[in-house]
Amino acid sequence: MKIIFWFPQTDASAWLHGLARALPDAALREWQPGDTDPADYAVVWHPPRELFGVPGLRAIFNLGAGVDAILAHEHERPGTLPGTAMLVRLEDSGMGRQMSEYVQHAVLRYLRRFDEYALAQARREWHVLAPHPHETFTVGVLGLGVLGAQVAQAVAALGVPVRGFSRSMKTIEGIETYSGELHGEQFDAFLDGVKLLVNLLPATPDTESVLNARTFGKLSRGAYLVNVARGTHLDEQDLLDALASGTLAAATLDVFREEPLAPDHPFWREPRITITPHSSALTLRDEAISQVADKIGALARGETVSGVVHVGRGY
Ligand code: NAP
Ligand code: GLV
């Protein structure tokens, strides 16, 4: 079997060695623009459109959970993805634990008001602040998929009420679940009283700018926002306005419309916004290789695999 690999911002040789160890019978090559030799599988992150023209592709493995960069090619030019190839995304592969740690950290930081202590320290002020009561520090998790469900349970373990929202109804122990579309009554019921909103939705046309003034206005006043999904989910001006008006107290952002975030972006100057460089849950090489190799083996044996993206739905 022939496999092409594309992940330009990484050490390709380490990936190729790992894949070769896991799939000793495969002929592996790093794909380069202009390479039109046939291949059975592609293992990629943010590939250029041209890669999809490689003949013979049976499956494209995305080295991340979000497939928005690949589907953007398909939306711009329908038919870009080869009709015979399935698109398979990473499922957890070590990201659930990282994401849970990141969100737990943000929840504890705001619950115990460490963000305010950091600002007070910068002013050399000594004030004791009452922590938020656990019972009213309701955390809402938008998206209860592979990552959202784990994050919801990790946050619930901190002893705060947790609710979650997804398109289809879920049953998750210890979590109050809501389902529906992002503009219906169920969505508003989910938002009502939430003190900290975590976004773990995929970036699709339906979820674009869901973190907007209307959404913020439905939360508990002075709520917190944690966006770990995609920058396109957030209306940036609405966030700045919500912080200025007190609708929101603070935000932790890991993802941005433009990455890297431009040095003159106003978010850098807003002390109530905490910024990390799209690092809440990194793709871990060994875990990703093991998952992809297992799935390639299963497909080669004629078996089905999980994690296949529904292209029309966008995730
Ligand atoms: P997933 O398993 O596909 O879960 C997506 C969840 O969102 C599902 O529960 C789905 O509902 C829900 N959903 C999708 N569209 C919806 C809509 N219009 N209305 C309501 N709910 C909707 O994805 P995942 O593996 O958890 O990953 C989630 C996202 O996290 C990725 O797409 C990626 O953008 C982001 N991510 C970011 C990082 C980072 O480093 N910052 C790392 C990894 C992933 P159903 O279950 O009902 O379908
Ligand atoms: C990272 O952002 C991912 O989608 O895995």
Side-chain angles (χ1 to χ4, degrees):
M1 94 188 44
K2 291 180 181 171
I3 302 176
I4 54 173
F5 176 80
W6 172 267
F7 191 164
Q9 299 82 21
T10 194
D11 175 4
S13 62
W15 279 88
L16 289 167
H17 281 122
L19 283 163
R21 265 197 308 276
L23 295 162
D25 296 332
L28 285 147
R29 68 181 193 270
E30 187 175 10
W31 182 83
Q32 299 292 346
D35 172 357
T36 54
D37 284 352
D40 303 293
Y41 303 106
V43 181
V44 299
W45 182 242
H46 285 224
R49 180 189 304 281
E50 187 191 341
L51 180 142
F52 302 108
V54 167
L57 288 176
R58 296 178 55 199
I60 296 154
F61 289 89
N62 180 57
L63 288 175
V67 288
D68 40 301
I70 289 182
L71 293 186
H73 289 306
E74 180 65 21
H75 291 144
E76 278 164 25
R77 209 178 294 168
T80 295
L81 289 178
T84 49
M86 62 178 79
L87 175 59
V88 187
R89 54 54 166 259
L90 281 187
E91 296 174 284
D92 186 346
S93 71
M95 287 188 279
R97 178 177 176 168
Q98 295 174 74
M99 205 54 107
S100 296
E101 290 167 351
Y102 185 102
V103 177
Q104 281 182 323
H105 176 270
V107 169
L108 287 176
R109 180 162 168 263
Y110 293 133
L111 177 74
R112 294 292 310 275
R113 303 176 70 174
F114 293 130
D115 58 323
E116 292 174 72
Y117 283 125
L119 296 175
Q121 180 175 345
R123 296 190 298 266
R124 302 184 186 199
E125 285 175 9
W126 179 283
H127 291 306
V128 176
L129 302 168
H132 293 287
H134 283 67
E135 327 63 271
T136 54
F137 204 85
T138 301
V139 174
V141 181
L142 261 178
L144 289 174
V146 172
L147 300 180
Q150 280 187 68
V151 164
Q153 290 194 299
V155 171
L158 300 175
V160 294
V162 180
R163 53 176 85 155
F165 188 84
S166 52
R167 183 178 264 160
S168 59
M169 195 58 184
K170 312 281 178 208
T171 305
I172 305 172
E173 199 183 338
I175 313 299
E176 192 184 344
T177 52
Y178 296 72
S179 63
E181 296 303 323
L182 291 169
H183 34 71
E185 274 174 25
Q186 279 301 299
F187 185 52
D188 289 355
F190 159 77
L191 295 172
D192 184 33
V194 163
K195 191 70 184 168
L196 186 149
L197 182 67
V198 180
N199 177 37
L200 267 164
L201 290 168
T204 70
D206 292 339
T207 64
E208 161 84 27
S209 297
V210 62
L211 304 176
N212 58 29
R214 183 187 182 282
T215 297
F216 301 149
K218 299 278 175 194
L219 302 172
S220 172
R221 183 160 175 82
Y224 301 90
L225 173 69
V226 177
N227 187 19
V228 279
R230 285 293 184 263
T232 51
H233 289 130
L234 176 65
D235 184 311
E236 297 189 339
Q237 189 56 51
D238 284 3
L239 171 60
L240 292 169
D241 293 347
L243 289 169
S245 66
T247 301
L248 291 181
T252 293
L253 308 177
D254 184 49
V255 286
F256 303 90
R257 285 182 179 266
E258 299 256 334
E259 295 181 3
L261 191 63
D264 61 349
H265 195 286
F267 285 175
W268 291 112
R269 297 190 295 278
E270 171 49 74
R272 288 165 296 179
I273 294 181
T274 299
I275 292 168
T276 52
H278 201 141
S279 53
S280 53
L282 303 173
T283 294
L284 303 177
R285 190 171 61 227
D286 290 350
E287 286 82 346
I289 286 174
S290 161
Q291 185 173 112
V292 169
D294 284 352
K295 289 186 181 181
I296 289 178
L299 291 176
R301 291 189 299 275
E303 297 166 10
T304 56
V305 295
S306 60
V308 176
V309 173
H310 186 303
V311 172
R313 205 176 53 166
Y315 67 100

